[in-house]
Amino acid sequence: MPSLTYQELHAGHADGIRAELAAALELTGPPGSLLRTSCERLLRRQPMRYPLSVLPLAVHGAETGDPEPALPLAAVHLLWWTAACRMDDLADADALTRHRAEAFLGSGPEASLTTLAVGTLLPLRLLDSPRLPRAVRRDLGAELTSCGLAAVAGQLADLGGGRGEPRRDAVLATYRGKSGAPFAMITAMAALLADAGPARTALWREFGDLFGVLWQLFNDQEDITSGRHEDLRNGTVTHLLACAAECAPPRDAARLRVLRPAARTSAAAREELLAVLLGEPVVDRFRRDLDAYRAMAHDVLDRLAGPAPGTGTEPGTGTGTTPGTGTAHAPRAGTGAGAGAGGAERRGRYLSCLRDLVDQASRCSLRTPAPIV
């Protein structure tokens, strides 16, 4: 069976994801109602540039050979990230950008309430749907709330990151919160839905956490290579900036402390700071960390590709447990990895999709400075 890219997986399930999203919006009221209109506007305004909503499909497919039962989770993932990106925009926006956003979505309070509905309330309703097995609904909801708390903590750390010298370990810890937590949430949810068992669910959560850091590093690079330079304008403490601070001799470190605040408003300062960030020692340090996280993500996938799980059982135990409780139960109908070479081949195809996603996210694209505007 040929390998599968995540873009191909999305192309095969895009209609199903759109249908799940439309069903979610029906929960907000009839067409034309204020809440539904506001939610629809937010989703139109914050389209995802990359179809990462397929991540739970790939995880469920890697466990069972069948991605489709995880379609509701794809909608949850998309809703959560739409709201998170909107909140990030509101936090980073200057007065002019915020005024334009409010003209589109209404007042600040209206935008905030809509974001709350899209990112938290709608996902909670979807996770409590009768379409999902009753045995896992509580655990799915717990994943959502735990993720939300970790992501908020990470975002608060990000907003306050301008104090003191940037350090790589501190920045990566922040990335694990604001980006790793939501990816860990959705991979763990897919594993719970697949009845993967506690040990494998923990591995999937670890994979999501690592992938979230990789995706944040990918976003950091794209902000530079695209020429947007939003991080420089916002004074964001990125991993690349921390690499520069750690690599810099004392004189250059002092210059960095001057350039960081100046780059918010000065194109000349942004250009000078960018030249430092794209210096060879800084990019080499960045690349080493990127390669380390890529290797760790692949290592987790290697462990998940080991002996195939049984039908809803934990390896070596012969019985399943209700996630989060330790209570034994019979495997749920329609779950489990499936038997035989055909099932293993199907599962392997979705694992290859996840490997492709890791490889695409972990490319180092930093080369030469993009134009400064």
Side-chain angles (χ1 to χ4, degrees), residues 203 206-207 210 291-306 355 358:
L203 281 175
E206 181 182 353
F207 170 76
L210 294 168
D291 289 345
Y293 271 85
R294 175 183 179 274
M296 288 188 285
H298 275 300
D299 177 67
V300 175
L301 290 176
D302 288 343
R303 284 183 278 163
L304 285 162
R355 294 184 190 282
V358 167

Side-chain angles (χ1 to χ4, degrees), residues 272-328:
E272 185 178 349
L273 179 55
L274 188 63
V276 174
L277 296 180
L278 294 178
E280 186 174 349
V282 178
V283 173
D284 284 347
R285 176 67 268 182
F286 177 90
R287 185 183 290 111
R288 289 199 297 274
D289 284 345
L290 187 65
D291 289 345
Y293 271 85
R294 175 183 179 274
M296 288 188 285
H298 275 300
D299 177 67
V300 175
L301 290 176
D302 288 343
R303 284 183 278 163
L304 285 162
T311 53
T313 64
E314 199 62 16
T317 67
T319 182
T321 59
T322 299
T325 67
T327 304

Side-chain angles (χ1 to χ4, degrees), residues 1 16 24 29 43 64 77 88 96-97 117 126-127 141 153 155 163 203 223 233 238 258 260 290 303-304 317 335 370:
M1 189 173 290
L43 288 164
T64 70
H77 195 48
D88 192 55
L96 178 60
T97 305
L126 291 178
L127 296 175
Q155 191 63 47
R163 295 185 287 271
L203 281 175
D223 184 61
R233 295 174 186 275
T238 64
V258 173
R260 282 171 53 197
L290 187 65
R303 284 183 278 163
L304 285 162
T317 67
T335 66

Side-chain angles (χ1 to χ4, degrees), residues 143-214:
E143 289 290 340
L144 182 73
T145 53
S146 296
C147 158
L149 292 171
V152 168
Q155 191 63 47
L156 288 173
D158 189 41
L159 292 171
R163 295 185 287 271
E165 290 295 323
R167 308 303 300 174
R168 289 169 33 249
D169 56 351
V171 173
L172 290 171
T174 296
Y175 284 8
R176 280 183 176 267
K178 74 173 191 176
S179 188
F183 283 107
M185 170 194 77
I186 205 65
T187 51
M189 281 184 181
L192 288 168
L193 185 62
D195 207 13
R200 290 183 66 84
T201 297
L203 281 175
W204 282 117
R205 186 180 287 108
E206 181 182 353
F207 170 76
D209 186 54
L210 294 168
F211 178 77
V213 174
L214 282 172

Side-chain angles (χ1 to χ4, degrees), residues 228-239:
R228 292 194 305 269
H229 304 301
E230 292 174 358
D231 289 334
L232 298 182
R233 295 174 186 275
N234 295 327
T236 304
V237 177
T238 64
H239 174 261

